[in-house]
Amino acid sequence: QGQLVESGGGSVKTGGSLRLSCAASGRTLNKFAVGWFRQTPGREREFVAVVSWPGNPTRYSNSANGRFTISRDDTNNAVYLQMTNLKPEDTAKYYCAERNGCCSTNWPEYFNWGQGTQVTVTS
């Protein structure tokens, strides 16, 4: 399986929004669970959100719930993470990865990690 590619990160003020993209070339993502995780220096990778297959059930961390939305776009072979009402504690490098099966929040169960995209939220 090819490596995934994340994009869409950047710097925003508190309360702002960003949409992150997770894409794969030459194949589809729609038969896998795709999770978003984030990591800051010195800490383990942290679950943020996952969309599974079939039926695209979703699951969110407590921090993300109500602010972030994960979705699939089969036409563009991508999974998005729409982030709103961003807070400084959301600052991290965000990664996406794949998994067989539904809805795991445990990052070691995922594979084909991308290079990450940095999100920085300023006060």
Side-chain angles (χ1 to χ4, degrees):
Q1 302 281 2
Q3 185 180 22
L4 301 178
V5 177
E6 303 95 336
S7 62
S11 296
V12 297
K13 297 179 180 179
T14 297
S17 299
L18 286 171
R19 189 182 74 162
L20 307 185
S21 297
C22 175
S25 296
R27 64 183 181 92
T28 63
L29 298 175
N30 64 357
K31 292 186 177 181
F32 294 88
V34 177
W36 282 99
F37 299 80
R38 63 189 183 189
Q39 188 170 20
T40 56
R43 300 193 65 182
E44 290 295 315
R45 204 156 291 187
E46 176 188 16
F47 169 76
V48 178
V50 59
V51 59
S52 192
W53 177 268
N56 293 328
T58 59
R59 185 175 180 178
Y60 298 91
S61 68
N62 290 335
S63 177
N65 191 39
R67 299 188 298 128
F68 297 178
T69 301
I70 188 169
S71 62
R72 292 185 189 270
D73 184 344
D74 290 336
T75 299
N76 294 312
N77 192 30
V79 170
Y80 302 111
L81 184 68
Q82 178 68 49
M83 304 186 294
T84 61
N85 193 24
L86 285 162
K87 305 174 182 179
E89 52 262 44
D90 295 318
T91 295
K93 182 169 283 188
Y94 284 70
Y95 300 86
C96 65
E98 299 172 272
R99 182 187 185 273
N100 298 117
C102 179
C103 303
S104 175
T105 63
N106 186 23
W107 72 262
E109 298 180 32
Y110 287 76
F111 51 86
N112 287 343
W113 293 90
Q115 82 288 349
T117 186
Q118 180 68 38
V119 171
T120 301
V121 185
T122 62
S123 299

